[in-house]
């Protein structure tokens, strides 16, 4: 199985900050990586697919990068609506696996 | 608008069974794989199972293989998760989600809660 490791687990930041969350795969996933945002009591929402493609309707302050086994999600200027939990997921091989999540908190 | 709506969750005793349903609309159901993903209370996301367009391919996470089955009815735009021999560790919110041909999960339902407890 491909293990996905996110860091940090918790991130405290302020509105306007630039933040980056990283995701490391235990083996190459050929860029088949997605990022999701989840708010309490809600379903996850797709933000980024194929490591760096922005889903339609997602604000451009969100961006993804990386290749091989190292990936990152960057929010260029945090907005109040961005405080949530973020998950990466690989969909290159079964079982599809998620990172453990990064909770983005208001400082 | 793509919509996915789950139903069928509830309280069940250990060893019992439950069947979850997922009704899809707003897209051509027969051209998409469908997924179930779960989330235990306060925990992260775990992919559970998926099924291809004509039900000729199905995949499961090891922890449910042999206990859960996935099926679909293309005439009703619905997908199902039959869960047998349920355990306490199966307690979770179960999300149904659309899957593209590349494996990307792009649209999620709001989930249905399954609680396994005596």
């Amino acid at each position: 199985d491909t293990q996905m490791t996110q860091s940090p687990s918790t991130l405290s930041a302020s509105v306007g900050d630039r933040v980056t969350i990283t995701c490391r795969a235990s083996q190459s996933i050929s860029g088949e990586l997605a990022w999701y945002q989840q708010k309490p009591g809600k379903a996850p929402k797709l933000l980024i697919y194929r490591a760096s493609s922005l889903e339609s309707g997602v604000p451009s302050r969100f961006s993804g990068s990386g290749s091989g086994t190292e990936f990152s999600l960057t929010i260029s200027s945090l907005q109040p609506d961005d405080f949530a939990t973020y998950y990466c997921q690989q969909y290159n091989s079964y079982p599809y696996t998620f990172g453990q999540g990064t909770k983005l908190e208001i400082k | 608008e793509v919509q996915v709506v789950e139903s069928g969750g509830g309280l069940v005793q250990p060893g019992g069974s439950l069947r979850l349903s997922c009704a899809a609309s707003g897209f051509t159901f027969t051209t998409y794989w469908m997924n179930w993903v779960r989330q235990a209370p306060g925990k992260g996301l775990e992919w559970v199972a998926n099924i291809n367009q004509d039900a000729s391919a199905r995949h499961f996470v090891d922890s449910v293989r042999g206990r859960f089955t996935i099926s679909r009815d293309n005439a009703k735009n619905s997908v199902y998760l039959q869960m047998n021999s349920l355990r306490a560790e199966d307690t979770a919110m179960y999300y149904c989600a659309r899957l593209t041909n590349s494996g990307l999960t792009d649209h999620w339902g709001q989930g249905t809660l399954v609680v396994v407890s005596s």
Side-chain angles (χ1 to χ4, degrees), chain A residues 1-59:
Chain A
D1 297 4
T2 302
Q3 307 303 316
M4 305 299 291
T5 304
Q6 278 182 243
S7 61
S9 297
T10 306
L11 180 58
S12 296
S14 302
V15 172
D17 284 354
R18 177 184 179 92
V19 299
T20 296
I21 299 167
T22 62
C23 182
R24 176 177 296 169
S26 60
Q27 60 189 315
S28 176
I29 57 173
S30 302
E32 293 181 311
L33 181 105
W35 289 97
Y36 300 91
Q37 177 194 66
Q38 188 179 33
K39 296 181 178 178
K42 300 295 187 182
K45 172 188 174 184
L46 176 64
L47 300 175
I48 301 285
Y49 61 97
R50 280 213 58 82
S52 60
S53 296
L54 190 68
E55 173 71 349
S56 176
V58 174

Side-chain angles (χ1 to χ4, degrees), chain B residues 44-63:
Chain B
L45 299 166
E46 180 184 38
W47 171 80
V48 174
N50 63 23
I51 186 168
N52 74 341
Q53 292 89 337
D54 64 0
S56 61
R58 308 164 203 232
H59 301 276
F60 298 90
V61 69
D62 282 351
S63 59

Side-chain angles (χ1 to χ4, degrees), chain A residues 1 32-34 36 38 41-46 48-50 55 87 89 91-92 94-100, chain B residues 33 35 37 39 43-47 50 59-62 95 99-100 102-111:
Chain A
D1 297 4
E32 293 181 311
L33 181 105
Y36 300 91
Q38 188 179 33
K42 300 295 187 182
K45 172 188 174 184
L46 176 64
I48 301 285
Y49 61 97
R50 280 213 58 82
E55 173 71 349
Y87 294 93
Q89 185 208 18
Y91 51 99
N92 178 68
Y94 288 109
Y96 294 165
T97 43
F98 291 88
Q100 79 277 18
Chain B
W33 287 66
N35 242 354
V37 176
Q39 186 169 36
K43 303 296 185 183
L45 299 166
E46 180 184 38
W47 171 80
N50 63 23
H59 301 276
F60 298 90
V61 69
D62 282 351
Y95 294 102
L99 195 67
T100 70
S102 64
L104 174 68
T105 299
D106 64 351
H107 286 276
W108 301 63
Q110 288 306 303

